[in-house]
Amino acid sequence: METSRRILLKTGLVTGGAALAATPALLDQRPSAAAPPTRTDPFTLGVASGDPLPDGFVIWTRLAPDPLADDGAGGMPSRHQQVGWQVATDARFTDVVRAGSVRTGPELGHAVHVEVGGLLPGREYFYRFRAGRHLSPSGRSVTAPDPLSMPASLSMAFASCSQFEHGWFTAYGRLAEERPDLVLHLGDYQYEYKADSYTIPGGNVRDHRGPETVSLAGYRQRLAQYKTDPDLQAAHAAAPWLVVFDDHEVDNNWADEIAENAASQPGFMDRRAAAFRAYYENMPLRRTSVPAGPDLQLYRSVQWGQLASFHMLDTRQYRDDQACGDGYDDCPPAAAPERSLPGTTQEAWLAERFAASTQTWDVLGQQVFFGRRDSTATPDNTVSMDSWDGYPASRDRVVRSWVDAGVRNPVVLTGDVHAHWGSDVLTDWTDGSSPVLGSEFVCSSITSGGDGYDKADGTHPWAAQNPNLTFWTNLRGYVSTTITPTSFTADYRCLPRVSVPGEQAFTRASFVVDDGVRGMRQVADNPLPTARADRSLRAPRSDAAIIADTIEAETGH
């Protein structure tokens, strides 16, 4: 029986893109229950969930029967629609425990965000939507454990950098097959470029639709194009996500109110507002992240019982501009003590979170390389101005805040750089024998940069002058982790190629951080076999070519 509007209002269901739990109900099958938004399936972008709490999570969809429409409206009419939703304990939806209806419309890009509550902690649930006679695919989500409990383990994967043009999103599909409890996406979910402006050797596999994204219609269309990919849809449907953006969701290497090419973008704040609006519309975010013009509250913490706290950072919106014109540079002004990457307010917030933490693992989900990477063997310090190396005083304050708080096990997770890296956080970045203060795991890109390549010893040429660097491979993929009360295990998952669909993933290397022990130790090493590498990958690279590829990936795009 249909849950009436009077009942919905009485039980606290909020219309307009967000909703609280309503009483359980079946999705009405009658043609007259609600006017169908279109004659064709509006659920072309799939479903997603995110930001889990012990009593619930956000579930998301967006109506778009014509997802690539140039006006960004997805083929939807300019009127409001009612969308029904269900949450069940089983994949067949025989035990529906929460259900309701929510209104969406053109001002929301016809997106639906339902903040489901009233669920049990530490449980698996399934969800779906209905618009008129159309039923969405179902998704799987998981509630966080009871805050005082100690889970036996958590399966978590993290990923970043999915350039649609550079390859197939097979890595997302392989991630989905692992059915993790939680997925962290660390930025560059989409890229802003028009077709053929960011190309890879041998040519792009696919093309972007539309011009470079600068308008709300453009960002909506581009995000819709990404979300039509079946592997990305599978990854969203497999588990709840915690998302943060990096630069390409707006503009390459932007910093606060400054575009990459500021002189040619006088309307950058309007562009940022459009990008933020489209990002919120297309992500499973809570109403606390509804943007206000060019501002969006994104940094937040999510607790997983007493096992882990995930501190999701925003390293773009509040940063000081990159020093010395960006790029790789030996730039003394970058070390000015007042400069900050996350901004002083976010630094203070993070220090408070560290001080309040009682969890075994404190995990920072953030975008740009945290550890030191001096790119030359000479006495200078030529580093990336876009990473924490370009804000060393800010980095020192963050590290000091977890040391002063007595954080038991600090772990930094990073995206952005299109390669897998391992790096320990050292007291003295130039002295490998100095005390280790934490560890950083960096995931490669899903596709950005195209087909990658491997080096059998897993060592980047920069490791010689950067003792913190423990591992590197330029293969594409993601990182799967298993977190327990006694260890944090990271498996670097890789694909031989992304230029063809359907490749199998393999674990290139595995590292473990033991509870109470600073620093990572390697427990598995599986280089891509030479015969397969010769057949699948680009020719082996010289050290000079590897360095050039690294800098190009991080400065050019």
Side-chain angles (χ1 to χ4, degrees):
M1 184 175 68
E2 182 182 17
T3 305
S4 71
R5 178 171 174 80
R6 178 177 297 176
I7 293 174
L8 294 178
L9 292 174
K10 188 174 181 179
T11 56
L13 187 66
V14 180
T15 62
L20 302 176
T23 54
L26 295 176
L27 289 179
D28 199 322
Q29 305 286 332
R30 296 173 299 163
S32 61
T38 63
R39 293 182 180 273
T40 56
D41 180 17
F43 296 111
T44 60
L45 307 183
V47 299
S49 71
D51 278 26
L53 295 175
D55 69 340
F57 36 71
V58 179
I59 59 175
W60 169 95
T61 193
R62 180 179 161 215
L63 306 181
D66 182 12
L68 301 188
D70 291 335
D71 64 0
M76 288 295 295
S78 58
R79 64 176 186 268
H80 291 92
Q81 306 288 337
Q82 287 294 126
V83 179
W85 57 272
Q86 288 180 320
V87 175
T89 61
D90 65 306
R92 294 173 63 87
F93 288 84
T94 59
D95 181 29
V96 175
V97 293
R98 288 290 181 271
S101 177
V102 63
R103 191 175 77 157
T104 188
E107 71 279 5
L108 303 166
H110 288 94
V112 176
H113 297 75
V114 181
E115 296 184 14
V116 182
L119 304 178
L120 296 175
R123 303 293 180 90
E124 179 183 69
Y125 291 94
F126 299 86
Y127 61 93
R128 63 185 181 184
F129 300 89
R130 180 178 288 278
R133 60 187 173 86
H134 299 290
L135 188 66
S136 78
S138 62
R140 168 186 175 268
S141 197
V142 178
T143 53
D146 183 279
L148 299 181
S149 69
M150 176 58 81
S153 67
L154 165 65
S155 172
M156 181 272 291
F158 64 99
S160 71
C161 301
S162 48
Q163 218 286 18
F164 183 88
E165 300 176 296
H166 287 183
W168 299 94
F169 287 170
T170 309
Y172 280 136
R174 299 298 175 233
L175 185 158
E177 291 169 356
E178 296 183 12
R179 292 174 65 85
D181 301 314
L182 187 66
V183 174
L184 274 57
H185 199 284
L186 302 180
D188 293 346
Y189 183 94
Q190 66 123 70
Y191 281 70
E192 74 275 27
Y193 305 107
K194 67 179 180 179
D196 295 326
S197 61
Y198 181 12
T199 58
I200 53 175
N204 290 345
V205 174
R206 307 187 278 187
D207 287 330
H208 277 153
R209 176 75 174 263
E212 179 166 341
T213 52
V214 295
S215 67
L216 179 58
Y219 284 110
R220 283 173 170 171
Q221 180 192 45
R222 182 62 52 78
L223 282 160
Q225 183 177 23
Y226 278 57
K227 284 181 172 292
T228 58
D229 185 276
D231 287 315
L232 178 53
Q233 288 192 15
H236 271 300
W241 284 35
L242 296 177
V243 300
V244 285
F245 52 57
D246 192 18
D247 54 338
H248 290 291
E249 287 85 353
V250 182
D251 176 49
N252 184 54
N253 282 18
W254 66 279
D256 194 3
E257 299 184 2
I258 302 171
E260 179 185 26
N261 299 308
S264 62
Q265 292 195 45
F268 177 69
M269 293 304 283
D270 291 336
R271 178 181 186 177
R272 196 176 100 170
F276 283 6
R277 166 57 62 177
Y279 184 79
Y280 171 77
E281 290 173 352
N282 284 276
M283 293 294 162
L285 289 164
R286 294 185 178 273
R287 70 193 71 178
T288 51
S289 294
V290 173
D295 300 314
L296 186 157
Q297 174 61 47
L298 197 61
Y299 64 85
R300 63 209 187 278
S301 287
V302 171
Q303 182 181 336
W304 207 265
Q306 289 297 301
L307 181 63
S309 281
F310 295 93
H311 311 294
M312 306 300 289
L313 304 188
D314 176 349
T315 61
R316 286 289 164 192
Q317 193 174 176
Y318 314 107
R319 67 159 66 192
D320 288 294
D321 193 15
Q322 294 93 340
C324 302
D326 206 353
Y328 272 74
D329 203 337
D330 179 21
C331 177
E338 69 274 11
R339 284 172 45 78
S340 178
L341 183 64
T344 55
T345 299
Q346 192 175 179
E347 281 187 18
W349 166 83
L350 184 58
E352 291 172 357
R353 300 306 303 165
F354 286 147
S357 177
T358 60
Q359 282 66 52
T360 301
W361 303 92
D362 278 86
V363 181
L364 275 66
Q366 59 94 49
Q367 296 76 42
V368 294
F369 212 102
F370 193 81
R372 180 176 182 267
R373 291 180 307 155
D374 186 353
S375 64
T376 66
T378 55
D380 62 8
N381 183 42
T382 304
V383 295
S384 170
M385 294 295 103
D386 190 56
S387 72
W388 289 87
D389 267 336
Y391 305 77
S394 181
R395 177 173 60 193
D396 289 348
R397 288 191 294 271
V398 169
V399 174
R400 178 52 53 190
S401 69
W402 83 51
V403 171
D404 289 347
V407 167
R408 185 178 180 91
N409 296 298
V411 176
V412 181
L413 306 182
T414 300
D416 182 60
V417 294
H418 305 180
H420 285 318
W421 297 74
S423 172
D424 281 326
V425 179
L426 302 180
T427 305
D428 180 347
W429 293 104
T430 64
D431 182 1
S433 63
S434 68
V436 178
L437 302 177
S439 293
E440 177 182 16
F441 296 103
V442 183
C443 66
S444 187
S445 63
I446 293 290
T447 55
S448 301
D451 286 342
Y453 53 88
D454 196 24
K455 189 177 177 186
D457 64 4
T459 301
H460 193 278
W462 291 345
Q465 64 265 18
N466 296 280
N468 54 294
L469 300 178
T470 61
F471 175 72
W472 166 90
T473 181
N474 198 49
L475 292 171
R476 308 294 167 236
Y478 56 96
V479 178
S480 290
T481 73
T482 302
I483 307 172
T484 75
T486 60
S487 63
F488 187 112
T489 302
D491 296 327
Y492 289 100
R493 302 284 286 162
C494 295
L495 276 70
R497 294 179 295 177
V498 295
S499 58
V500 296
E503 291 277 29
Q504 295 300 310
F506 71 101
T507 298
R508 171 62 180 83
S510 297
F511 286 80
V512 173
V513 178
D514 296 303
D515 174 38
V517 179
R518 294 290 192 262
M520 63 180 72
R521 58 183 177 87
Q522 188 166 2
V523 294
D525 183 33
N526 306 298
L528 190 66
T530 302
R532 192 174 182 189
D534 290 344
R535 183 175 69 251
S536 302
L537 306 179
R538 290 182 277 178
R541 295 293 201 261
S542 66
D543 282 358
I546 290 172
I547 292 171
D549 287 348
T550 302
I551 294 174
E552 168 63 20
E554 299 174 29
T555 58
H557 300 283

